[in-house]
Amino acid sequence: MSRPTLTAVFVAFLLTSSVAKPNAKDKKPKQVVPAIECDMRAGKINLPEFIVKCPAKCRETKEKVYGTGVFASISSICNAAIHNGVITNSGGKVIVMKMGGQVTYKGSFANGVRSLSLPNWRDSFSVSVGKPKKGVIYPSTLIFVPSRPTAENTVSPATEPSSTAAPPTTTHVTTPIATAPPITTSATPRVTVHEVREAGVHRPETGTPIRRQPHVSSASVFSRVQPQSERKQHMAQSNPTFARRDWPHPAFSRPDGSSGTRRPTDSSYSVPNTSYKWNRMSTGDPTVLDPRPDNTEYEQYGQYPPEPEDHKPLSETGHTKDCKVDIAFLMDGSWSIGKRRFKIQKDFLVDVSQVISVGVAGPMMGIIQYGDDPVTEFSLKQFSSSKDLKPAISKIVQKGGLSNVGKALSYINKNFFSDANGNRGGAPNVAVVLVDGWPTDKVEEASRLARESGINIFFVTIEGPDENEKQNVVETNFVEKAVCRTNGFFSLPITSWFALRKEVQSLVKRVCDTDHLVCSKTCLNANDIAFVIDGSSSVGTGNFRTVLQFVANVTQEFEISDTDTRVGIIQYTYEQRLEFAFGQHNNKADLLNAIKRINYWSGGTSTGAAITYAADQLFSKSKPNKRKIMIVITDGRSYDDVRAPALAVHRKGVIAYSIGIAWAAQDELEYIATDPDREHSFFVDEFDNLYKYVPKIIHNICNEFNSQPRN
């Protein structure tokens, strides 16, 4: 080859290399992050996973957050990220991943943000640090869920490139996630709206009307997501709503479903109505309250009952997930049951033992047989697997005798749920009583004592008394007197012994529904609370209504019934007036209505005499196993001595809180309050700031649970 030819080839090679060099390495795609405001909720954005940028100082906006770690979709994205430690109050990038709804969302305080508790919201999300994995490109445009069936709206950040420009590409592929993956690109990517389907929940297509039933309260909506056999049992109690008085929204509240008409808004935008408020009626009479209900409610459109699961093992359907309970079955061994039905009862217990998957990490099961006297067949710790339980139950021999259920309940209360018998302490105690017909002794008192010891009692009555047989029953309405609630959750009537085994699934679902096992003593259901309210002339009618508003907001946090928390109220001036006593209003709706109806008195201020009056009229009638709590609210110095009366109630085990407003004397507040003062004595400069201390008082009451003596 000649020299000119070699030179030409070499020059051509250099030119080819110089042209190819810029394309030798693909350009890295640039992630464009949309900016959002502090009030943006995850439910507003119709993407399964996305990245956003939060502004600074979102914590000061106090936008609401529901849950801890996993948040309800009505939560502020930015404040959830601050609460979770993903960003600081200076703002930053956050990755949001949508997920299915949770049974409950637990509130907590973290990083300067208080999250609230919420029951059973349909969608949730988690947050993580806004650093995408290698090769992952999140949408640069946020797609919003429309409030009405209209075309989708999109929003882009101010720095976003034109929508006609194709985003950069990458050849990397990411592993799919449970919902739908963020956008990855091997060619020109497209922003798509992924349809998310979860078990038992149907999401309406974008742009189609949201299906719902007319004139259905939110209580019915909650019950629709439960199994058919329980749906009628779990109707949420409607909370009454006071008419509205203009004052700041409470910072601590627990959303509860309330009855009323629906608003035509998208559920993702809906925020729970979380407090009780009232205002003056147009009549001009400040003492008359508006009786009309507030129709505000939060909604859960788009939820429908799951498919029937009656023929599936509960271990497959998920109903025994996290079912950590200690269960005692009280089986009927009386002569009236007969050998054949006794065998059916044993088969039923075998079925239950197989379904609940007995084990040390889950439910533990023991059996007591009762007749004339109760006998422990085996304790909680004797068998640690369903496999071992089956032959043990089959070998149980009928004892005979009467059907003394009351005696059996006293027996388990005193003897069965002990550490020696395998009681784990951290697991709820459950007693399931199987009764053929009706008991031959009384059950009310024994049941009450067992419930107050923290035992959740279920009654399964088979072939109960008909109208002609009721005259033979020792105690009428014995089931209603025995169980913790009369709404049907704790009672399961069965018309025939041959139908008993069909109810295995229904019973186990209830026993494992730990959110409804409210008989176990907690800081919210083990109290006798007395509010001692200053009704002196310096308070005034308007401020007195604000005080009642505060009392209502504290009260609604507790489980109210004769066996749970009870509330009494005293109003005082120079004299004292018992507005109502402990146990006079035994459900939350009646109690809140009674608070609303209290009339302002007006007069002087004798706080010491009011404390003594509370001790005599309320705490002297406090029930065993109840914590005694007194909350004194006053706006001025007392005309009498408060030290001796306060010391007297302290010595009787009363936990006293004092709340002073405006002209209240600090030294008197400290005398009234239980030590340490900083945890029990509070002061606000004006009545409208009372609401700020609702979370503090609830928090302190729960922290002190079991730390004070009980009478």
Side-chain angles (χ1 to χ4, degrees):
M1 182 179 293
S2 64
R3 185 178 299 273
T5 302
L6 288 173
T7 302
V9 170
F10 180 71
V11 170
F13 175 76
L14 289 177
L15 289 174
T16 303
S17 299
S18 63
V19 172
K21 189 173 183 180
N23 294 325
K25 188 182 291 185
D26 290 341
K27 291 184 179 180
K28 291 184 178 180
K30 181 181 179 182
Q31 174 70 66
V32 180
V33 181
I36 60 172
E37 298 298 325
C38 299
D39 63 349
M40 179 62 69
R41 297 192 285 274
K44 282 188 174 183
I45 299 173
N46 199 1
L47 291 170
E49 190 171 1
F50 53 90
I51 188 170
V52 292
K53 183 175 182 181
C54 291
K57 298 183 178 180
C58 282
R59 191 162 56 202
E60 284 77 358
T61 66
K62 299 188 184 299
E63 291 292 333
K64 286 186 171 50
V65 176
Y66 299 92
T68 301
V70 176
F71 304 95
S73 62
I74 53 172
S75 302
S76 159
I77 294 173
C78 297
N79 276 348
I82 295 173
H83 183 278
N84 212 39
V86 171
I87 61 173
T88 66
N89 199 34
S90 300
K93 299 175 183 178
V94 181
I95 293 174
V96 178
M97 187 175 74
K98 298 280 192 72
M99 57 184 65
Q102 307 292 307
V103 175
T104 57
Y105 298 84
K106 301 289 186 182
S108 63
F109 184 83
N111 302 315
V113 175
R114 174 169 292 284
S115 68
L116 306 179
S117 297
L118 181 69
N120 197 27
W121 196 253
R122 65 168 190 166
D123 295 315
S124 54
F125 68 97
S126 62
V127 291
S128 57
V129 178
K131 293 182 179 179
K133 294 180 180 179
K134 187 176 181 181
V136 177
I137 301 293
Y138 290 97
S140 58
T141 300
L142 300 180
I143 302 174
F144 286 173
V145 176
S147 59
R148 291 186 296 273
T150 58
E152 289 176 341
N153 299 320
T154 61
V155 64
S156 303
T159 59
E160 182 185 344
S162 170
S163 60
T164 59
T169 63
T170 177
T171 58
H172 297 286
V173 179
T174 60
T175 303
I177 59 174
T179 54
I183 295 173
T184 58
T185 54
S186 56
T188 303
R190 294 182 301 168
V191 177
T192 60
V193 180
H194 297 275
E195 179 178 311
V196 183
R197 296 190 181 276
E198 299 163 353
V201 179
H202 171 71
R203 302 292 174 78
E205 302 288 345
T206 304
T208 61
I210 299 175
R211 179 180 167 217
R212 64 188 182 202
Q213 296 178 352
H215 311 299
V216 179
S217 68
S218 60
S220 299
V221 176
F222 272 91
S223 67
R224 283 208 303 263
V225 300
Q226 298 171 357
Q228 179 70 29
S229 60
E230 295 177 62
R231 205 169 306 147
K232 296 178 182 178
Q233 316 289 353
H234 290 258
M235 301 294 286
Q237 291 184 354
S238 297
N239 286 336
T241 48
F242 296 125
R244 186 180 182 86
R245 181 179 189 274
D246 294 330
W247 70 309
H249 193 76
F252 181 87
S253 50
R254 184 177 62 198
D256 290 313
S258 59
S259 61
T261 57
R262 294 192 182 280
R263 292 174 295 152
T265 57
D266 180 78
S267 59
S268 300
Y269 289 73
S270 303
V271 178
N273 178 33
T274 57
S275 64
Y276 297 85
K277 305 191 176 184
W278 59 76
N279 61 8
R280 317 295 189 274
M281 292 180 65
S282 58
T283 59
D285 184 355
T287 65
V288 179
L289 302 181
D290 189 346
R292 295 170 298 177
D294 180 358
N295 286 331
T296 305
E297 62 172 324
Y298 70 103
E299 302 132 350
Q300 288 186 302
Y301 297 155
Q303 290 193 332
Y304 302 96
E307 293 298 318
E309 299 172 341
D310 293 340
H311 302 292
K312 298 178 184 178
L314 291 194
S315 57
E316 294 180 13
T317 61
H319 291 288
T320 58
K321 184 181 180 182
D322 301 326
C323 177
K324 188 177 181 180
V325 292
D326 290 340
I327 312 171
F329 281 90
L330 280 68
M331 64 184 303
D332 192 339
S334 62
W335 290 128
S336 66
I337 195 173
K339 292 184 178 180
R340 184 180 182 186
R341 288 181 290 186
F342 189 77
K343 172 67 165 56
I344 293 173
Q345 187 177 202
K346 291 198 297 181
D347 292 342
F348 171 78
L349 292 175
V350 168
D351 291 346
V352 170
S353 69
Q354 303 308 299
V355 165
I356 62 176
S357 300
V358 169
V360 292
M364 297 297 286
M365 178 174 166
I367 293 181
I368 297 97
Q369 184 183 171
Y370 67 89
D372 290 334
D373 296 294
V375 176
T376 298
E377 297 292 348
F378 45 83
S379 66
L380 292 167
K381 68 178 183 180
Q382 196 161 340
F383 298 102
S384 58
S385 72
S386 298
K387 180 180 178 181
D388 295 335
L389 269 169
K390 185 174 181 179
I393 295 172
S394 300
K395 293 176 183 178
I396 294 175
V397 178
Q398 185 177 4
K399 302 294 183 184
L402 299 175
S403 184
N404 290 331
V405 176
K407 186 180 285 189
L409 287 169
S410 297
Y411 173 82
I412 64 163
N413 188 24
K414 295 175 182 177
N415 303 302
F416 189 80
F417 289 107
S418 64
D419 294 343
N421 286 332
N423 183 42
R424 291 176 288 181
N429 294 156
V430 174
V432 179
V433 184
L434 299 168
V435 184
D436 173 44
W438 56 88
T440 53
D441 63 348
K442 293 187 176 182
V443 302
E444 182 175 15
E445 182 65 14
S447 297
R448 181 183 68 80
L449 293 174
R451 293 197 311 270
E452 290 189 350
S453 296
I455 301 173
N456 298 273
I457 299 174
F458 288 79
F459 259 62
V460 180
T461 51
I462 307 100
E463 297 181 7
D466 59 27
E467 290 300 323
N468 296 326
E469 295 172 323
K470 286 184 178 179
Q471 60 184 354
N472 302 321
V473 176
V474 174
E475 189 174 33
T476 58
N477 300 323
F478 64 91
V479 174
E480 293 183 6
K481 295 175 181 177
V483 299
C484 183
R485 292 289 187 274
T486 57
N487 64 358
F489 179 75
F490 289 92
S491 60
L492 187 61
I494 300 173
T495 56
S496 167
W497 275 96
F498 302 105
L500 177 61
R501 295 180 69 181
K502 297 178 181 178
E503 300 297 332
V504 170
Q505 302 273 352
S506 177
L507 176 64
V508 174
K509 289 172 188 175
R510 300 186 197 195
V511 168
C512 288
D513 188 354
T514 53
D515 290 327
H516 284 84
L517 299 184
V518 293
C519 284
S520 296
K521 295 295 101 177
T522 71
C523 62
L524 299 179
N525 64 15
N527 315 290
D528 278 344
I529 304 177
F531 289 92
V532 181
I533 303 173
D534 186 348
S536 62
S537 303
S538 58
V539 174
T541 303
N543 289 331
F544 187 76
R545 309 315 301 175
T546 302
V547 171
L548 295 184
Q549 167 73 72
F550 168 79
V551 172
N553 281 336
V554 172
T555 300
Q556 70 164 329
E557 295 300 321
F558 293 89
E559 299 290 342
I560 304 297
S561 82
D562 187 52
T563 57
D564 293 319
T565 290
R566 306 185 305 169
V567 174
I569 293 183
I570 289 169
Q571 184 182 176
Y572 72 93
T573 57
Y574 287 124
E575 301 175 292
Q576 305 84 36
R577 183 168 73 197
L578 179 63
E579 301 293 352
F580 51 82
F582 294 145
Q584 193 169 331
H585 301 286
N586 284 330
N587 65 70
K588 192 175 292 186
D590 289 347
L591 176 60
L592 292 170
N593 280 326
I595 294 171
K596 181 176 68 174
R597 292 193 299 267
I598 294 175
N599 292 319
Y600 173 53
W601 202 357
S602 186
T605 308
S606 294
T607 307
I611 294 172
T612 301
Y613 186 81
D616 294 341
Q617 298 297 315
L618 291 177
F619 293 120
S620 65
K621 300 175 178 64
S622 189
K623 297 178 76 171
N625 294 328
K626 296 289 187 185
R627 285 197 306 160
K628 296 178 287 189
I629 298 173
M630 179 177 68
I631 301 176
V632 178
I633 307 170
T634 181
D635 81 327
R637 181 173 288 278
S638 177
Y639 295 151
D640 62 354
D641 178 56
V642 301
R643 288 175 291 183
L647 183 60
V649 295
H650 293 167
R651 286 173 175 170
K652 292 180 179 178
V654 175
I655 304 169
Y657 290 83
S658 61
I659 302 174
I661 308 133
W663 301 280
Q666 185 64 40
D667 59 331
E668 291 184 346
L669 296 177
E670 293 176 359
Y671 286 135
I672 294 169
T674 298
D675 291 330
D677 296 338
R678 65 180 180 277
E679 299 296 330
H680 299 87
S681 180
F682 310 104
F683 181 86
V684 295
D685 55 355
E686 57 185 35
F687 285 86
D688 281 352
N689 287 330
L690 274 173
Y691 76 95
K692 295 179 180 179
Y693 287 96
V694 173
K696 182 67 173 176
I697 289 172
I698 302 298
H699 178 266
N700 288 1
I701 287 174
C702 285
N703 273 358
E704 289 182 331
F705 185 60
N706 283 332
S707 67
Q708 295 291 332
R710 304 182 189 181
N711 61 342

